Amino acid sequence: MTAPLVVVGDALLDVDLCGDVDRLAPDGPVPVIDHPTERFRPGGAALAAILSSRHHPGPIRFVTMLGGSSGRRVARLLEDAGVEVCDLGAGGSTPTKTRIVGGGQRVARVDRGGIRGGPTHPEHLRAACDDAAAVVASDYGGGLLADAPVRAMLTRRGAAPLVWDPHPRGTIPLRRTTLVSPNLAEARAFAPVPPTEDSDGLHAALWAGSSLVDRWSVDAVAVTMGGDGVLLCDRSGTPLVCTTRALDRGVDTCGAGDVFAVAVASALAAGGLLREAVDTATAAATAFVAEGGVSRTPGLPTPSAPAATRGGRVVATSGCFDLLHVGHVRFLESARRLGDHLVVLLNSDTSVTALKGPGRPLQHERDRADILASLGFVDEVIIFDEATPSRALAELRPQVFAKGGDYDRATLPEAAVVESWGGIVVTVPFHTGHSTTRLIEEARAHD
């Protein structure tokens, strides 16, 4: 059995209070939010624990301090997602951050609670890390990773790689940490950049990363630079730059840093070299953002962005796109002409296998998503796990749902879903002579 990936850090409870807005309050120029609904999700390091299951094939164990009713809710959410929770105990209550959203726009945030002091039972951490394949220290400035007994036990974790995701209000990483992963703003704050080196983000990342390797006495520092990729500085003296594919401006990057940290840890746990692990994690974080980020993560019931924020008329289509051929390209190009923003809902690997049988897909879902996203007329790719895209469509709410001409309304169970909010279902000409199945059969015949 694969050893567990252990995430150690400060838990939060995130709450989305969402409702409609169509008027201002008579007693002041503030929006009135009608019929709000509450959505609860693990936040802080607890989010990193949830996201770990996307990358690590073994158990996920989360070590944290939980307190009060908010802490109990976080524990239930994690356990429902299959994460093992090790509560070190705490005074006070787990911090709660409530985001108030009206008409798809954030109006305010209300923060409550807070942990008092250090963990009640720090000794539980040692047993939690004894069989770890890798450890992620996810610092959200709550004090757990600054606790002396906790730091001592992490030092005695054995041979497991340690990846440290820092926080501006957190503590410094342990000496000999395998990798520290600050974002560019954090790296600048930890190692102020001289004016001569501050000409652009890459120079600043190189200066800060190289400085922090020595200042913190760690093996390596990976500075995440958003759309500019990741810069890795280690003791070899030659930096590595891992670039990312272009993403739309305004996409939700919440959780991307967590994905990077846990993906690096998982790759190292599997025996990967550090530079290979950083490249793998860069691709994983980019794919996570491109797929919709936290809003598309199973177990996290966060509403996706309203279709209107994507700009103009939103057109959606769906499919496996296992081997992209000219028929697909012509179809997608035609679908894009129907509106201003084309979203491809892509069947996940699990969904393709259920539909097509063993041996399919031929390409991993992230590879298929990357190929689609590289087409100039595809604006967004969202991966879904179900047999049909009905749930994804209900969250996206496009104005148009397009399929190839070999479909009709009777063979599209999702048609009723689209029409429920006034959307329309259309077909575009089907280009005969092009079929993924036929291509596979012909390739096998020529083997």
Side-chain angles (χ1 to χ4, degrees):
M1 182 177 179
T2 305
L5 178 69
V6 177
V7 178
V8 184
D10 310 296
L12 305 173
L13 176 63
D14 285 335
V15 183
D16 295 303
L17 187 65
C18 306
D20 300 323
V21 174
D22 58 14
R23 59 197 172 97
L24 296 178
D27 54 346
V30 295
V32 175
I33 299 177
D34 290 316
H35 312 299
T37 59
E38 280 187 305
R39 297 177 176 89
F40 299 92
R41 52 190 170 88
L47 173 62
I50 287 276
L51 296 172
S52 297
S53 61
R54 294 167 54 106
H55 306 282
H56 186 66
I60 308 299
R61 186 177 296 152
F62 180 48
V63 184
T64 190
M65 300 185 291
L66 297 174
S69 60
S70 54
R72 292 190 292 274
R73 187 182 289 273
V74 169
R76 287 196 301 272
L77 290 168
L78 287 167
E79 289 163 357
D80 289 345
V83 175
E84 178 187 340
V85 178
C86 176
D87 180 9
L88 303 183
S93 61
T94 298
T96 299
K97 298 183 182 299
T98 302
R99 295 166 178 83
I100 302 174
V101 181
Q105 300 296 320
R106 289 185 182 178
V107 176
R109 195 182 88 181
V110 179
D111 292 359
R112 295 189 181 94
I115 298 295
R116 296 195 301 270
T120 309
H121 299 289
E123 68 277 6
H124 293 172
L125 174 61
R126 183 164 188 177
C129 291
D130 270 352
D131 59 345
V135 178
V136 176
S138 183
D139 192 352
Y140 272 80
L144 177 62
L145 291 168
D147 183 76
V150 167
R151 293 175 70 85
M153 287 173 205
L154 284 175
T155 301
R156 297 194 294 269
R157 70 190 179 280
L162 174 62
V163 176
W164 197 289
D165 190 6
H167 191 280
R169 297 192 302 275
T171 188
I172 62 171
L174 291 172
R175 292 170 60 89
R176 306 311 303 168
T177 292
T178 310
L179 179 73
V180 186
S181 57
N183 62 34
L184 182 56
E186 291 165 346
R188 287 175 183 266
F190 294 133
V193 179
T196 56
E197 300 293 339
D198 199 22
S199 57
D200 58 49
L202 188 61
H203 281 83
L206 178 58
W207 169 273
S210 301
S211 301
L212 292 172
V213 168
D214 293 329
R215 179 180 299 184
W216 286 335
S217 297
V218 297
D219 293 348
V221 172
V223 181
T224 58
M225 304 180 293
D228 292 326
V230 176
L231 179 84
L232 174 67
C233 298
D234 58 20
R235 297 189 176 277
S236 71
T238 304
L240 171 73
V241 179
C242 299
T243 58
T244 63
R245 72 170 185 263
L247 296 171
D248 291 340
R249 291 188 177 183
V251 295
D252 183 6
T253 60
C254 176
D258 298 297
V259 168
F260 179 82
V262 299
V264 165
S266 181
L268 292 173
L273 299 175
L274 179 59
R275 291 188 164 219
E276 294 172 344
V278 168
D279 188 38
T280 297
T282 302
T286 304
F288 171 78
V289 173
E291 292 165 13
V294 170
S295 66
R296 299 296 306 165
T297 301
L300 298 179
T302 307
S304 61
T309 66
R310 290 179 163 88
R313 175 187 288 169
V314 174
V315 180
T317 188
S318 65
C320 302
F321 299 98
D322 197 3
L323 285 180
L324 194 69
H325 53 67
V326 68
H328 289 142
V329 172
R330 290 172 181 169
F331 162 71
L332 292 170
E333 192 171 21
S334 297
R336 179 61 173 79
R337 294 194 192 105
L338 299 174
D340 305 291
H341 188 97
L342 176 62
V343 181
V344 178
L345 304 176
L346 181 67
N347 291 76
S348 70
D349 290 348
T350 302
S351 178
V352 174
T353 302
L355 290 170
K356 305 291 186 179
R360 299 284 300 274
L362 299 180
Q363 300 188 87
H364 189 277
E365 61 193 45
R366 288 185 192 138
D367 294 335
R368 291 184 283 124
D370 282 348
I371 292 169
L372 287 167
S374 70
L375 300 175
F377 36 81
V378 173
D379 298 289
E380 190 174 352
V381 181
I382 296 174
I383 298 174
F384 67 94
D385 285 318
E386 298 78 17
T388 76
S390 294
R391 186 175 69 86
L393 286 166
E395 294 181 357
L396 183 66
R397 297 172 71 88
Q399 289 94 331
V400 180
F401 181 55
K403 292 292 284 186
D406 52 336
Y407 287 90
D408 58 36
R409 197 186 185 288
T411 58
L412 289 173
E414 54 269 35
V417 177
V418 176
E419 291 167 354
S420 69
W421 58 78
I424 60 172
V425 177
V426 301
T427 60
V428 298
F430 176 70
H431 299 278
T432 58
H434 304 289
S435 161
T436 298
T437 301
R438 183 179 63 80
L439 287 175
I440 294 172
E441 291 173 348
E442 289 181 356
R444 287 172 176 165
H446 286 84
D447 267 352

